[in-house]
Amino acid sequence: MDKVITKKNPVISKQGVCDPHVHIFNDRVYLYASHDVPVDPKVSFFRMNDWEIWSSPDFVTWEKESIVRPEETSMGASNECWAVDAAEKNGKYYLYVSNGMSETYVLSSDDPGKGFKDALGKPILPKWFTKTCSYDPTAFIDDDGTPYILFGTPVWAGGDSYYIAKLNEDMISLAETPRKIELNNAADDKCFLHKHDGTYYLTWASYYATSDNVYGPYKFRGNINLTTDHGSFFDWNGQSYMAFTVSETLRSARRATGFAYIHYKENGDMCADDIIREYGVGQYDGTWNRIEAEWFAKGHNVTKKENTYGGFDVVMKDGSWVEFSNIRGIPAQAYMTLWYAAAEKVEIEVYEGDKLLTTAMLNDAQMRMDCGYTAYTHAVLPLFLPEGDHNIRIVAKGDLKLDWFNFITE
């Protein structure tokens, strides 16, 4: 199958891989996508003849796992293969696919990337099963293992809201009559549901609303301004992400997929970074004047917390570490500058793989701040690296707030 290496958002560029729903299966990123085909805008704006499944170990190298074709299911051939989502239950994988603004079908497989077959021989959500259209499904499995399916569309598209229904353990039948979701804001195209710190986040494009109950009511919170199209949220290796649709060539309806880190404020609001919206995740430029600590690719025993500068720190404890993979173009013999705050002297170690590059004792400053931490200060550490691309891991031997770092040559 195809292999793509990306160096910037969007990933898998110019192939129409869009409307991304992303899940982590077997410690690998799986992207379940609609597939735009270039069309003459005078004839049709969108044409989608199938769905595609891609996977990646790192957000940089992508492999096409399979193409899911509607004509190989009871749905039959269609050029309206709209949004798709996936779920795993008891070692089996399920794919929920949308036939235009019509009905939803469910497929199953023993593999998250391929081999999906029709599980019912008919729609799991028939056309006009509720007062809204039965399309653009989202699968959600709660912390207690209870599975749900969400679907629907707003009034402007012919529906009356989003709907939610509990699924049976077989994942291919409903355990209850779908319920209309209460939402104190006008819904838009394609909803998604995820959970963070016990709060349910109902999202559509970059808009989001929250509730303490999976059925709602949901209170509108805001817009993180990453996309006006479909998207999904997920966590991996201690980091939070959004996958979102990017417009590439609007006249031909060719869209693509981008990724960004997501940060949660103490009040539950979500936010993202403009530079990451452009450059993507899992890779960095060694010449940037700042690589923010909250952009880590992997983290162990760390949390992201708002700081007094309006950004975020990574709070590290004794034995915590953060890793930044694919830092491109680090200058030869560069020094690493760390901007941090500490409550006391803290030792850190910097590694590339298993190789220790440098170790240093970070001093605390004199002026005290909240929570017993000192004022922010900096340290400059020699790395003795050749020019090129490197993976950097920072290990803390004590309590530390890490704000950002960069690479300098003098």
Side-chain angles (χ1 to χ4, degrees), residues 104-181:
T104 291
Y105 292 77
V106 57
L107 318 177
S108 64
S109 176
D110 294 326
D111 188 294
K114 55 184 177 294
F116 283 93
K117 305 296 183 183
D118 197 317
L120 280 177
K122 62 180 181 180
I124 184 175
L125 299 173
K127 187 174 182 179
W128 296 114
F129 181 50
T130 62
K131 291 184 179 180
T132 194
C133 302
S134 300
Y135 86 115
D136 275 4
T138 283
F140 171 73
I141 298 180
D142 211 339
D143 297 339
D144 63 359
T146 303
Y148 298 86
I149 189 167
L150 292 83
F151 61 95
T153 186
V155 175
W156 63 260
D160 68 340
S161 187
Y162 302 128
Y163 280 72
I164 183 171
K166 188 182 299 184
L167 289 166
N168 285 313
E169 284 294 303
D170 63 10
M171 299 294 286
I172 62 173
S173 60
L174 302 186
E176 62 184 357
T177 302
R179 309 185 196 184
K180 182 177 178 179
I181 295 176

Side-chain angles (χ1 to χ4, degrees), residues 37-93:
V37 177
V39 296
D40 182 350
K42 296 179 181 179
V43 178
S44 174
F45 191 61
F46 289 103
R47 189 173 79 233
M48 290 168 273
N49 300 330
D50 51 40
W51 301 273
E52 293 190 349
I53 303 174
W54 292 73
S55 73
S56 173
D58 57 6
F59 299 104
V60 176
T61 302
W62 291 90
E63 295 185 31
K64 186 188 290 186
E65 294 275 344
S66 64
I67 299 173
V68 180
R69 306 182 192 280
E71 59 268 27
E72 297 175 358
T73 74
S74 59
M75 176 175 157
S78 174
N79 61 12
E80 293 185 317
C81 295
W82 288 10
V84 55
D85 197 10
E88 183 272 335
K89 189 75 170 176
N90 299 323
K92 203 170 185 68
Y93 301 90

Side-chain angles (χ1 to χ4, degrees), residues 1 77 309 326:
M1 280 295 182
Y309 296 97
N326 301 299

Side-chain angles (χ1 to χ4, degrees), residues 39 46 69 89 102 121 128 157 195 287 342 355 369 386 391-392:
V39 296
F46 289 103
R69 306 182 192 280
K89 189 75 170 176
S102 183
W128 296 114
K195 196 174 185 180
T287 65
K355 180 182 178 181
M369 293 182 67
N391 301 324
I392 297 294

Side-chain angles (χ1 to χ4, degrees), residues 362-377:
L362 303 185
N363 295 319
D364 57 351
Q366 299 299 315
M367 185 176 68
R368 296 286 166 177
M369 293 182 67
D370 294 339
C371 305
Y373 283 87
T374 66
Y376 288 84
T377 187

